[in-house]
Amino acid sequence: MENNNDMGELKSTNKKQVLLFYCVECEELARKVAAHSQLITLQSINWRSFDDGFPNLYINNAHDIRGQHVAFLASFSSPAVIFEQLSVIYSLPRLFVASFTLVLPFFPTGSFERMEEEGDVATAFTMARILSNIPISRGGPTSVVIYDIHALQERFYFGDHVLPLFETGIPLLKQRLHQLPDADKIVVAFPDDGAWKRFHKLLDHFPTVICTKVREGDKRIVRLKEGNPADCHVVIVDDLVQSGGTLIECQKVLLAHGAAKVSAYVTHGVFPKRSWERFTRKNDGSEKGFAYFWITDSCPHTVKAIENTAPFEVLSLAGSIADALQI
Amino acid sequence: MAAASNSAVKPAKKVCLFCCAETEALAQRIAAESDAIELRSIKWRTFDDGFPNLFIPNAHGIRGQHVAFLASFSSPAVIFEQLSVIYALPKLFISSFTLVLPFFPTGTSERMEDEGDVATAFTLARILSNIPTSKGGPTSLVTFDIHALQERFYFGDNILPCFESGIPLLKNRLQQLPDSDKISIAFPDDGAWKRFHKQLQHFPTIVCNKVRMGDQRIVRIKEGDAAGRHVVIVDDLVQSGGTLIECQKVLAAHGAAKISAYVTHGIFPKRSWQRFEHDNGGHPEKGLTYFWITDSCPHTVKEVKSKLPFEILSLSGSIAAALQI
C-alpha cells in the first residue's frame, strides 16, 4: 500500500535534476536558487578574455552534462556582457544535454519599444531574435524564462524555436504585503494604464488607484484617475524603474490626496547612473520618503548597490526560478 | 556608335552605405571611390541604462535601394548596437543588403580541442547567419582574410559570404618598391603559407615554423633562403606581435638585407604595435623597413597612422568593388 503511494507521488511530481550554469554577475542569485532545491546543482564556466577583449570561455566538465537537464542564469545588464553569455548559451544545447533552459529574469531594452517611425530600431526585437536562434537541444526548443516583460506584445517577438515562459514577481509582493502590520489598509496604485493592464488581475483583491499623465502645455503632470488613497498605505506597482521620475511624481500626487504612507514595488530595479539614490532616507525630516521600496534580485548590480540601504528591500526570485526549472 | 551597343559594361549600381562611428573614416574613403556609393547616416545614441537608442533617418528613402553597412566588431561591447541596425535594415523594403565586416574577430581563438571550449567565432557566424533576408534575398557578407579557412563553413545558407583578401593591395605596393626584384615572401607558419602562397607564387618564398625545444617554442626557417633579400613576412593578423618578432630575428640571423611585414588586420591589443621600430636604414634585426596593415581595424589605424614603420593600405577600393557584386 505504502509503496504504491510512493510510486504515484514520484510519477506525479516529475522532479528533474537540473545542472545550473550562470554568468559572473548572477553568482549570488544562482547560489540562492541551488539552495532552494536539492535537485539543482551549480556548475562552473571559466570566464576569461583574450588580450583583444574577446571572450576565452571554457565549460567545465562538459562531458558530464550529457543526458542532463541544463539551465543557464543570464543577466544582460549592459550590451558589453551580452556576447560572452550568448556564446555559452549557443554552446550548451549542443553538448547532448537532455534539455536546455535559459533564465533571463530581466529582458532589457524592453522599455523603448515605441516604434513610432519607420527609422526606429527595435532593440528588444533584436534581442528576441538573437534568443530565438538558440540551437535546439535533444530536449527540443530552449525554454526561456523571463519575469514581467515590459510590453505584453513582446511575447510575440519570439520565434518558434524557443518556448518563452513569462513569469511574474507579483506573488513575492503579495506575500510580503500580507506580513505587514497594516495589511488591511493597503491600496495598490498603478502609475499608468500600462501598469494597470499588466498587473491588475494579479492584484484584484486589493483596492486600486490608477494614475495617469496629463499634458499641460509643455509639461506632463501625473494625476489621479481613479480610486481613493486617503489614510491608506499605498503601494505603487510597476514592472521596472529607471530614473524613478515617474514614481516620485506618483508619490507626490498620492500624498497630496491623503495617503498615510507610500511604498513602491518594481520587479526590475534598473536604476541607471545610481538613480536609486533619490529614494534613500534623508534623515533631515524634510520630505516624506517611501516607507518601503521593494525590488527583486533580477538586476544584480542594483542589488549590490542598495544592500542594507533603507527603504529598499530585496525580494528574491530564487524560489520562483527553482520552481520554473521543474517545468 | 557600335561600340556603345556592344559594350558589356554594366552601369554601376547605386549603393546607400551606412556605417558605425568607428568606421566613418573608411566609409568616407569608400564613397570617394565611386559616384555610385552614397553615404547615409544613423543616429547612434544611448539610453541611461547603456542600451542603444537608434534611429535611421529617412528610412523611407532607402526603399528599393541597394544598401550596405560597414561594421567593425572591435570589442564585444559594440556588437549589440551594430547588430540592431544590421537586423533592422533588411526589413525596410530595400532591394538588397550587404554587410561589410572587414575583420571577422574571435577567429584566432578557435582551437576547439576540448568539448568544453566555447567557439566564439561560431557564435558570431551564427548571429550573422540569422540576418533577416531582404527583398534581394540573403545578405551578402564581405570579409577580408578570415583567419581559419574552415570558418567559411560556419555560415548558414541564409547568408552569402564573400571572402576577399588584402593581398592584392600588398602586391601593388611591393611593385612600387625600388628593390621589388629582391623581394622574398616569408610565412611565419604553415597556416599562413596555406592561406596565402597561391596569391604570392611569383615571389620566392621562405617558410618558418615553430619547433619545440624543451619548454620553449623556437622559430626556425623550414624552407627558403633569406640571404641578401628584402624579406616581407606575410600573415592575416597580428596580436601581440610576438610571432612576427621571432621571425624577424631568425630572418636577420640568416642574412636578410631588409625585413618588412604585412598583415591584413593590425589588432595590436594593449598598444602592442609599440614593439615595432623602424630600421632607419640600419640593421634588420633592429627594426622593420615597412609594416603594412590595412584599415580593417580603425582603432589601430588612428594610433599608427603617421608612425614609421607603419603604412596603411586602404581597403576602400576593394570594398567599393565588392559592393558592385
Side-chain angles (χ1 to χ4, degrees), chain B residues 166-167 169-171 173-174 177 179 183-188 192 196 200 208 229-249 251 256-268 272-273 275-279 284 286-294 304 307-313:
Chain B
I167 297 296
L169 295 172
L170 172 64
K171 293 203 290 199
R173 187 67 187 93
L174 293 180
L177 294 181
D179 59 351
I183 290 175
S184 291
I185 304 289
F187 297 110
F196 296 120
L200 292 160
C208 302
R229 308 290 292 172
H230 178 173
V231 183
V232 180
I233 311 171
V234 169
D235 208 350
D236 61 330
L237 58 82
V238 59
Q239 298 260 16
S240 66
T243 307
L244 285 177
I245 286 187
E246 290 301 303
C247 283
Q248 178 191 6
K249 286 186 191 155
L251 292 164
K258 286 198 277 187
I259 302 175
S260 293
Y262 164 91
V263 297
T264 307
H265 311 297
I267 304 168
F268 289 123
S272 54
W273 53 265
R275 305 171 81 169
F276 292 91
E277 293 178 359
H278 190 220
D279 64 1
K286 293 252 168 72
L288 298 176
T289 309
Y290 297 97
F291 197 143
W292 292 291
I293 67 171
T294 73
V304 308
K307 295 193 170 80
L308 293 174
F310 294 98
E311 247 191 54
I312 315 287
L313 304 176

Side-chain angles (χ1 to χ4, degrees), chain B residues 18-193:
Chain B
F18 291 88
C19 66
C20 59
E22 55 193 67
T23 54
E24 202 171 321
L26 176 54
Q28 282 170 353
R29 299 182 75 132
I30 296 169
E33 296 271 343
S34 164
D35 281 339
I37 301 173
E38 188 191 300
L39 276 188
R40 293 300 196 105
S41 67
I42 292 169
K43 286 218 172 79
W44 303 90
R45 291 157 306 184
T46 331
F47 287 105
D48 281 347
D49 67 357
F51 274 85
N53 176 12
L54 310 170
F55 184 71
I56 302 169
N58 193 21
H60 275 237
I62 63 175
R63 288 179 168 185
Q65 303 286 327
H66 295 285
V67 171
F69 180 79
L70 180 62
S72 169
F73 296 157
S74 56
S75 76
V78 302
I79 294 179
F80 186 72
E81 67 204 25
Q82 295 182 51
L83 216 49
S84 298
V85 170
I86 291 166
Y87 279 176
L89 284 169
K91 298 186 68 95
L92 293 173
F93 301 96
I94 60 181
S95 65
S96 78
F97 183 59
T98 299
L99 171 61
V100 183
L101 179 64
F103 172 52
F104 182 82
T106 79
T108 43
S109 334
E110 244 47 90
R111 243 171 276 108
M112 283 272 304
E113 278 154 32
D114 233 306
E115 202 160 302
D117 281 315
V118 177
T120 49
F122 194 50
T123 303
L124 194 56
R126 192 186 279 280
I127 290 173
L128 298 181
S129 298
N130 285 312
I131 297 171
T133 52
S134 68
K135 281 184 131 181
T139 296
S140 301
L141 169 68
V142 178
T143 190
F144 288 77
D145 293 316
I146 195 165
H147 182 73
L149 294 172
Q150 55 270 37
E151 275 157 14
R152 26 185 79 223
F153 304 113
Y154 287 9
F155 295 92
D157 288 334
N158 274 323
I159 192 163
L160 295 171
C162 181
F163 299 106
E164 295 282 347
S165 175
I167 297 296
L169 295 172
L170 172 64
K171 293 203 290 199
N172 245 6
R173 187 67 187 93
L174 293 180
Q175 275 164 18
Q176 298 168 351
L177 294 181
D179 59 351
S180 56
D181 56 329
K182 288 243 171 50
I183 290 175
S184 291
I185 304 289
F187 297 110
D189 52 39
D190 279 328
W193 180 84

Side-chain angles (χ1 to χ4, degrees), chain A residues 6 17 43 64 96 124 180 190 192 214 217 225 242 244 260 291 314:
Chain A
D6 284 348
Q17 293 269 354
Q43 300 288 298
D64 295 342
F96 300 95
L180 294 181
F190 298 109
D192 52 39
V214 172
K225 195 175 86 153
Q242 298 262 10
V314 177

Side-chain angles (χ1 to χ4, degrees), chain B residues 26 29 102 264 293-298 301 312-316 319:
Chain B
L26 176 54
R29 299 182 75 132
T264 307
I293 67 171
T294 73
D295 42 7
S296 64
C297 299
V301 168
I312 315 287
L313 304 176
S314 182
L315 296 173
S316 55
I319 293 172

